[in-house]
């Protein structure tokens, strides 16, 4: 490990570190624009100049210079100060002085660093360069005159997203960043370039001119648009969520979030349920909470009550429902709305055991029935990393456009019973083999044959567990931990013919199968569930309540409440608590802390932030055979998978323009 | 250079160039060029292939050639690389024409030595014939571009027309060259200075005089 001296302070740095990293380890701030920890080194902004001895008597770009033994690095010398001022002046030559009308203002690297490292004024009185606007789709707003050519966006789309759609045309001063023929950026993670852009060249289109960063209340939260549980920061002002940004968590989402997680939030103000509704003569009519509770109590359901949890629900809501049903004497609870009925007595068998960060290390991966790019874009990023490291990846299921080298083995699931020899050999010979089962595989009963394969390939070994199930619902693992599942799936609930059905944000249920029941929908959006319900009780969306979420790898995470729910809407647990009173039972909690304490007392793993331990995989069932075909995946439209996204104008625009190729609607049309 | 931009993509352009493929001779050449690079690195061949494609377009249009968007897409597919990367290369180097050019592409050098030796007069000569920088004349004969150094500083000023260099020019000499070209004749390439062969000293030798007859060791003079 090389020993270097940074501003007179001697430190040891890891082998392969750059001078910039050495400076950071020594606690020195080095300004930079093009350098980014998760992207390749470009060395083209020159902002990170430092003085290094031995070496030529001139400042060196520290981001691209390897730290070597005996180097004497100075970040505080006169030479460095002058070099930074010089670079800053050059960068500002062509950068417009439009900070007052720029959305990046207040959170702009260029602004901050010019204050910290630049000269006080400008000596430039020539004409500035101007660049024509570039269209990059409905999510990314461009002002390319502001671009300082750091090429972070180009490197992101090539290296992380794996879709070469952004490039730098022309050269020198005339260089312009654009997508090919100004087509919309179509990748599911495309909007991360907004965060990467150190200036205001790429900004958020839906958030344009909405707010300044210092006006916003920042709340730490968890994304519910898929089962990855990306760590997000919810920025709100007053009662409105204005935007969502990723938080850094290397174990979960690194530094990225999907476009859906980022931009579905404008759906939180549309089609909201903010009043109590009761169906009278086939039409929903406004009512009061009292009327609704009386109507529910009037059914006299007794123990004949069932509850179905939706995909976005937090653990506390489900636990409150479970307690309520328990007090009424019922255990008819289920979260797999679409009818899946895989066994859940051992949660290790339905968990992403490799962990999201761990799957990067796999060297042979078999993916069964998962359109990963749509079901979990952030897992796709990890798989791309694995493939870049040399992992062999095979897929079973209908073909989709992968962003990594992979081989499709066909739609027919029976291929699992008799895999080609080279696949078998690769998986057997791999040091860290992994299997990933998607929702389509679970629905087709591929869990048992996959477990058999896992046993055959010895997927679980010292320090490695290669058996993975990739869920799509943020609520799924939490629901399963709370026992929100029946052996036969939702069919058991239908067979029980309950008199009262509580749908907790459940929109994908086929409500026609619950014909005789009084259907009470507790949720936040007027979607399919509310349309089928007899009574609608307005609840809270994920930004409007504190909650516990468990992601697909069994990671327990907590989200905070960012804003209050609109109108008469309440936090879901309070509705269930009030319902308990109306039905004359006690559930044992009167406040949120009590509810959470009761939940943790029953499922202790939910009280510990981090990975839950589900124990060992179950033994494989002998003779389990795969059958069926995976001709399609459950997600038909990436941008419209949940009620919030379906209500979001931005997501609808993305869906019509990016997936269905419709022309952009101009304002005049 | 600032107004360099790829020729807009249009249905007409697609109709004309959408079915571009290598002709027989270039097919073999392209194969040979790709084979120069290691397996899996075939995209390194993008620069020679862009040139080859430009020349093939030139043959078809009887010009120096240019690179329509569909041709770049064909190349991207041929080399199995993203088309944006092809466009990046083509738009970076000014020797790739990304918009159509006329019969003769007049490239006047505008770097310091040529300017000192009178390239402004050469540009003026071109303007008089109706040429405009970055544009093709209405008759389709001339396209004028001001380019950076072409490496003929010893015989400055110079103009490159399609692939031929014309050096030691004056306004009159350039007029003669352009007249001949317009008439369909081929002017003498290289220096236009009478009595000069290539880039040898124009007058008496002024430096390295001891080297005329034999190899002289100048090191003792340092």
């Amino acid at each position: 490990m090389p020993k270097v001296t940074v501003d007179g302070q001697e430190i040891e740095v890891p082998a392969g570190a750059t001078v910039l990293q050495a400076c950071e380890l020594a606690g020195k701030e080095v300004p930079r624009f093009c350098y980014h920890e998760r992207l390749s080194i470009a060395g083209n902004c020159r902002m990170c100049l430092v003085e290094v001895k031995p070496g030529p008597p001139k400042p060196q770009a520290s981001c691209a210079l390897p730290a070597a033994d005996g180097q004497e690095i100075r970040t505080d010398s006169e030479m460095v100060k002058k070099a930074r001022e010089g670079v800053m002046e050059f960068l500002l030559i062509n950068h417009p002085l439009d900070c007052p009308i720029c959305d990046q203002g207040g959170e702009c690297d260029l602004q901050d660093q010019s204050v910290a490292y630049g000269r006080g004024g400008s000596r430039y009185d020539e004409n500035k360069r101007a660049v024509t606007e570039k269209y990059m789709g409905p999510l990314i707003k461009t002002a390319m005159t502001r671009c300082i050519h750091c090429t972070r966006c180009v490197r992101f789309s090539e290296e992380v997203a794996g879709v070469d759609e952004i490039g730098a045309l022309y050269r020198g001063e005339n260089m312009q960043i654009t997508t090919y023929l100004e087509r919309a950026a179509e990748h599911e993670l495309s909007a991360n370039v907004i965060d990467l852009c150190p200036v205001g060249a790429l900004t958020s289109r839906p958030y344009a001119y909405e707010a300044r960063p210092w006006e916003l209340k920042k709340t730490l939260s968890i994304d519910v648009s898929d089962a990855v549980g990306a760590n997000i920061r919810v920025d709100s002002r007053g009662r409105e969520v204005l935007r969502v940004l990723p938080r850094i968590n290397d174990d979960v989402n690194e530094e990225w979030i999907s476009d859906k997680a980022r931009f579905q939030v404008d759906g939180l103000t549309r089609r909201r349920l903010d009043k109590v509704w009761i169906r009278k003569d086939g039409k929903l009519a406004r009512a009061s909470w009292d009327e609704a509770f009386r109507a529910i109590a009037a059914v006299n359901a007794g123990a004949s009550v069932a509850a179905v949890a939706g995909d976005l629900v937090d653990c506390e809501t489900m636990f409150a429902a479970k307690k309520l049903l328990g007090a009424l004497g019922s255990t008819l609870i289920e979260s797999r709305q679409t009818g899946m009925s895989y066994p859940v007595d051992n949660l290790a068998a339905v968990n992403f055991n490799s962990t999201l960060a761990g799957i990067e290390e796999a060297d042979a991966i078999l993916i069964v029935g998962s359109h990963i790019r749509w079901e979990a874009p952030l897992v796709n990023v990890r798989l791309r990393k694995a493939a870049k490291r040399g992992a062999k990846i095979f897929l079973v299921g209908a073909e989709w456009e992968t962003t990594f080298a992979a081989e499709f083995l066909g739609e027919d699931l029976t291929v699992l019973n008799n895999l080609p020899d080279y696949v078998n050999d690769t998986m057997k010979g791999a040091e860290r083999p992994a299997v990933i089962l998607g929702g389509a595989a679970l629905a087709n009963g591929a869990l048992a044959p996959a477990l058999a394969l896992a046993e055959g390939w010895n997927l679980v070994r010292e320090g490695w567990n290669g058996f993975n199930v990739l869920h799509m619902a943020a609520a799924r693992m939490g629901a399963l931990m709370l026992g929100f599942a029946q052996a036969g799936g939702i069919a058991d609930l239908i067979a029980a013919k309950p008199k009262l059905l509580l749908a907790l944000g459940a929109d994908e249920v086929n409500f026609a199968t619950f014909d005789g029941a009084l259907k009470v929908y507790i949720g936040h959006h007027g979607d399919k569930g509310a349309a089928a319900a007899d009574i609608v009780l307005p609840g809270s969306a994920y930004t409007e309540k504190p909650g516990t979420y468990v992601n697909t790898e069994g990671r327990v995470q907590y989200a905070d409440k960012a804003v209050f729910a609109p109108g008469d809407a309440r936090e879901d647990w309070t509705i269930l608590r009030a319902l308990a009173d109306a039905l004359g039972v006690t559930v044992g909690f009167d406040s949120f802390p009590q509810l959470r304490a009761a939940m943790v007392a029953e499922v202790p793993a939910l009280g510990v932030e981090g990975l839950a331990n589900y124990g060992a995989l179950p033994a494989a069932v002998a003779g389990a055979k795969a059958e069926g075909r995976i001709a399609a995946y459950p997600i038909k439209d990436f941008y419209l998978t949940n009620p919030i996204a379906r209500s979001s104008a931005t997501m609808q625009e993305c869906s019509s323009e990016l997936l269905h190729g419709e022309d952009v609607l101009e304002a005049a049309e | 250079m600032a107004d360099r931009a790829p020729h807009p993509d249009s249905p007409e352009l697609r109709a004309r160039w959408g079915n571009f493929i290598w002709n027989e001779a270039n097919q073999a050449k392209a194969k040979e060029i790709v084979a120069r690079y290691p397996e899996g690195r075939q995209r390194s061949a993008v620069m020679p292939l862009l040139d080859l494609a430009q020349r093939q377009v030139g043959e078809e249009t009887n010009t120096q050639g240019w690179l329509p968007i569909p041709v770049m897409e064909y190349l991207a597919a041929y080399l199995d690389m993203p088309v944006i990367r092809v466009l990046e290369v083509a738009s970076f180097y000014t020797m790739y024409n990304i918009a159509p050019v006329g019969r003769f592409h007049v490239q006047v050098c505008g770097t310091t030595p040529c300017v000192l030796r009178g390239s402004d007069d050469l540009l003026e000569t071109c303007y008089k014939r109706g040429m405009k920088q970055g544009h093709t004349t209405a008759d389709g004969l001339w396209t004028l571009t001001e380019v950076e150094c072409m490496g003929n500083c010893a015989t400055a000023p110079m103009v490159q027309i399609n692939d031929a260099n014309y050096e030691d020019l004056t306004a009159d000499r350039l007029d003669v060259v352009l007249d001949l070209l317009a008439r369909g004749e081929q002017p003498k390439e290289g220096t236009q200075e009478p009595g000069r062969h290539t880039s040898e000293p124009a007058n008496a030798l002024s430096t390295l005089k001891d080297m005329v007859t034999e190899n002289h060791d100048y090191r003792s003079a340092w």
Side-chain angles (χ1 to χ4, degrees):
Chain A
M1 298 220 296
K3 265 203 184 99
V4 300
T5 319
V6 181
D7 296 349
Q9 174 191 348
E10 196 171 314
I11 55 158
E12 209 169 315
V13 297
T18 62
V19 170
L20 188 144
Q21 285 162 336
C23 293
E24 298 221 305
L25 281 175
K28 303 289 170 190
E29 189 182 74
V30 180
R32 87 289 301 270
F33 294 111
C34 72
Y35 175 80
H36 193 276
E37 291 83 353
R38 291 169 216 277
L39 302 176
S40 66
I41 293 169
N44 51 13
C45 77
R46 316 309 289 178
M47 194 62 206
C48 62
L49 294 175
V50 295
E51 196 177 342
V52 181
K53 277 178 208 156
K58 58 170 190 170
Q60 305 268 339
S62 60
C63 71
L65 187 70
D69 208 30
Q71 266 173 347
E72 208 178 297
I73 303 161
R74 291 223 76 93
T75 66
D76 56 358
S77 67
E78 190 55 29
M79 182 205 269
V80 174
K81 181 169 179 289
K82 257 182 85 177
R84 285 173 180 168
E85 284 178 1
V87 170
M88 203 67 232
E89 203 173 0
F90 276 127
L91 285 173
L92 290 176
I93 276 184
N94 278 321
H95 191 83
L97 289 172
D98 60 355
C99 303
I101 55 154
C102 175
D103 256 335
Q104 193 85 351
E107 50 185 1
C108 174
D109 288 359
L110 192 68
Q111 214 175 28
D112 296 349
Q113 293 183 27
S114 76
V115 168
Y117 303 103
R119 287 166 49 92
S122 170
R123 295 180 290 182
Y124 187 75
D125 54 7
E126 307 289 322
N127 288 333
K128 284 183 181 245
R129 174 204 63 176
V131 182
T132 50
E133 292 312 303
K134 302 279 182 285
Y135 182 70
M136 283 203 191
L139 302 177
I140 306 167
K141 179 172 177 280
T142 67
M144 298 319 286
T145 303
R146 297 175 187 148
C147 175
I148 59 165
H149 303 164
C150 71
T151 68
R152 275 187 189 176
C153 50
V154 179
R155 283 175 282 149
F156 173 82
S157 69
E158 182 183 347
E159 293 161 14
V160 178
V163 177
D164 292 78
E165 49 185 11
I166 304 183
L169 301 194
Y170 316 115
R171 63 197 286 182
E173 190 193 32
N174 299 309
M175 188 169 133
Q176 299 183 12
I177 301 288
T178 180
T179 47
Y180 182 62
L181 301 183
E182 294 196 34
R183 287 175 189 161
E186 281 182 1
H187 193 265
E188 298 77 32
L189 297 170
S190 66
N192 286 297
V193 297
I194 296 169
D195 294 339
L196 284 172
C197 186
V199 298
L202 307 178
T203 52
S204 163
R205 194 180 279 272
Y207 173 71
Y209 307 129
E210 287 282 347
R212 286 300 190 187
W214 56 83
E215 301 174 297
L216 301 173
K217 188 180 107 183
K218 286 111 183 153
T219 312
L220 307 186
S221 186
I222 301 296
D223 172 51
V224 296
S225 66
D226 56 32
V228 173
N231 292 200
I232 55 171
R233 190 185 97 191
V234 176
D235 281 6
S236 56
R237 186 179 57 189
R239 301 190 73 161
E240 193 181 354
V241 174
L242 289 177
R243 64 170 176 181
V244 161
L245 294 177
R247 279 188 283 149
I248 297 178
N249 186 340
D250 280 329
D251 292 329
V252 183
N253 57 319
E254 300 175 270
E255 202 169 329
W256 325 118
I257 50 171
S258 72
D259 290 357
K260 185 165 53 181
R262 187 185 299 263
F263 289 120
Q264 68 175 5
V265 288
D266 68 335
L268 288 171
T269 53
R270 292 179 174 82
R271 292 195 207 159
R272 281 305 296 265
L273 300 172
D274 56 357
K275 291 272 185 313
V276 179
W277 301 84
I278 298 179
R279 193 174 294 278
K280 283 175 189 150
D281 311 325
K283 275 179 96 174
L284 285 172
R286 275 190 196 174
S288 70
W289 286 100
D290 275 345
E291 286 172 283
F293 287 145
R294 273 203 299 275
I296 295 168
V299 184
N300 256 331
S304 180
V305 49
V308 183
D311 292 347
L312 311 182
V313 187
D314 56 310
C315 290
E316 282 82 355
T317 303
M318 289 187 279
F319 180 74
K322 186 184 175 185
K323 281 276 137 192
L324 174 63
L325 262 68
L328 292 168
S330 165
T331 55
L332 292 172
I333 48 178
E334 176 59 63
S335 69
R336 296 164 295 180
Q337 306 174 55
T338 50
M340 286 196 281
S341 58
Y342 47 83
V344 291
D345 40 345
N346 183 334
L347 290 186
V350 291
N351 186 40
F352 203 93
N353 295 304
S354 301
T355 73
L356 299 173
I359 197 72
E360 284 178 23
E361 312 284 336
D363 51 0
I365 305 172
L366 175 68
I367 299 169
V368 185
S370 180
H371 185 326
I372 302 231
R373 255 182 88 170
W374 280 8
E375 292 174 13
L378 295 165
V379 175
N380 193 60
V381 169
R382 307 277 192 176
L383 290 175
R384 183 171 154 75
K385 278 201 218 170
K388 274 176 139 180
R389 288 182 188 178
K392 295 262 178 305
I393 302 182
F394 306 100
L395 298 106
V396 176
E399 292 200 15
W400 47 278
E401 203 184 324
T402 60
T403 59
F404 41 80
E407 189 190 335
F408 280 91
L409 302 174
E411 295 178 2
D412 201 340
L413 269 174
T414 51
V415 74
L416 292 181
N417 305 330
N418 193 9
L419 281 166
D421 285 344
Y422 67 96
V423 179
N424 235 329
D425 294 346
T426 313
M427 296 298 291
K428 260 197 191 125
E431 224 166 280
R432 288 179 301 277
V435 169
I436 300 177
L437 286 186
L442 293 177
N444 280 290
L447 187 61
L451 281 167
L453 283 177
E455 206 164 86
W457 289 331
N458 200 10
L459 287 187
V460 185
R461 49 187 79 179
E462 182 66 38
W464 177 254
N465 187 337
F467 188 80
N468 302 305
V469 170
L470 183 62
H471 294 292
M472 285 171 284
R476 183 71 71 246
M477 283 311 284
L480 297 182
M481 283 171 83
L482 288 166
F484 241 79
Q486 304 293 318
I490 205 165
D492 286 8
L493 268 58
I494 298 166
K497 291 197 185 303
K499 284 189 192 158
L500 175 62
L501 174 73
L502 299 179
L504 307 167
D507 288 295
E508 320 297 334
V509 180
N510 182 4
F511 285 98
T513 52
F514 289 98
D515 225 4
L518 177 78
K519 296 181 272 289
V520 178
Y521 182 80
I522 304 176
H524 42 82
H525 273 80
D527 207 81
K528 297 172 208 165
D534 299 311
I535 295 175
V536 173
L537 303 176
S540 300
Y542 70 111
T543 52
E544 293 151 7
K545 57 187 170 191
T548 306
Y549 297 93
V550 186
N551 79 356
T552 189
E553 57 176 349
R555 183 179 299 277
V556 179
Q557 305 186 102
Y558 304 110
D560 281 342
K561 172 176 178 164
V563 292
F564 285 93
D568 289 343
R570 295 286 181 272
E571 287 181 28
D572 303 31
W573 75 269
T574 59
I575 300 172
L576 293 162
R577 174 70 187 75
L579 195 53
D581 280 350
L583 298 176
V585 291
T586 48
V587 286
F589 52 83
D590 294 317
S591 68
F592 188 75
Q594 283 177 11
L595 164 61
R596 192 170 260 180
M599 181 178 81
V600 171
E602 198 165 310
V603 187
L606 288 175
V608 189
E609 199 162 15
L611 290 174
N613 184 4
Y614 300 126
L617 283 182
V621 186
K625 287 280 172 235
E627 49 192 26
R629 294 179 78 81
I630 298 178
Y633 297 101
I635 295 185
K636 303 281 178 266
D637 189 328
F638 170 72
Y639 296 102
L640 302 176
T641 52
N642 65 54
I644 303 175
R646 283 193 285 267
S647 308
S648 154
T650 310
M651 289 293 104
Q652 287 169 4
E653 204 181 327
C654 282
S655 165
S656 63
E657 189 185 338
L658 303 181
L659 294 182
H660 300 109
E662 286 167 27
D663 283 338
V664 198
L665 292 180
E666 295 294 336
E669 283 180 278
Chain B
M1 204 176 121
D3 45 18
R4 216 170 116 82
H7 196 60
D9 191 24
S10 65
E12 294 76 34
L13 189 81
R14 298 263 164 200
R16 173 66 185 86
W17 295 109
N19 49 6
F20 176 91
I21 49 164
W22 296 123
N23 61 29
E24 215 164 295
N26 286 344
Q27 174 76 45
K29 262 192 216 166
K31 243 180 140 172
E32 187 242 296
I33 291 169
V34 172
R36 287 178 202 161
Y37 300 94
E39 187 66 37
R41 303 270 172 188
Q42 77 295 96
R43 58 167 74 179
S44 301
V46 66
M47 290 184 60
L49 289 192
L50 276 169
D51 182 62
L52 194 65
Q54 175 163 312
R55 282 170 198 283
Q56 184 174 326
V57 172
E59 282 166 36
E60 291 179 31
T61 56
N62 195 27
T63 61
Q64 191 188 25
W66 65 290
L67 293 163
I69 289 282
V71 173
M72 291 194 231
E73 284 171 1
Y74 169 75
L75 274 185
Y78 186 79
L79 294 174
D80 189 24
M81 66 191 284
V83 59
I84 182 84
R85 298 280 103 85
V86 178
L87 185 61
E88 278 180 339
V89 173
S91 66
F92 186 92
Y93 294 102
T94 48
M95 279 135 181
Y96 299 121
N97 301 322
I98 50 178
V101 288
R103 173 77 191 88
F104 298 108
H105 187 195
V106 183
Q107 299 154 81
V108 181
C109 174
T111 305
T112 318
C114 282
V115 175
L116 290 172
R117 299 274 293 159
S119 67
D120 286 353
D121 296 344
L122 305 185
L123 279 173
E124 205 51 50
T125 309
C126 297
Y127 295 152
K128 272 187 199 147
R129 286 173 180 259
M131 297 183 216
K132 214 174 122 193
Q133 276 197 38
H135 291 269
T136 305
T137 50
D139 56 5
L141 204 55
W142 312 108
T143 300
L144 178 65
T145 319
E146 185 181 322
V147 296
E148 300 304 329
C149 187
M150 295 274 218
N152 286 298
C153 310
T155 51
M158 70 82 66
V159 166
Q160 189 181 62
I161 300 176
N162 290 358
D163 283 342
N165 286 3
Y166 302 95
E167 303 149 26
D168 276 326
L169 290 170
T170 60
D172 295 340
R173 286 174 187 169
L174 180 59
D175 254 334
V176 174
V177 170
L178 296 179
D179 278 338
L180 283 171
L181 286 173
R183 284 207 299 275
E185 293 170 39
Q186 177 57 51
K188 169 183 174 283
E189 287 184 27
T191 175
Q192 306 295 313
E193 178 84 23
R196 206 177 183 187
H197 299 96
T198 59
S199 57
E200 77 273 18
N203 304 307
L205 208 54
S206 59
T207 53
L208 302 180
K209 289 176 191 166
D210 297 327
M211 290 284 249
V212 174
T213 50
E214 53 170 9
N215 195 11
H216 179 76
D217 190 349
Y218 275 100
R219 274 177 291 183
S220 60
W222 293 352

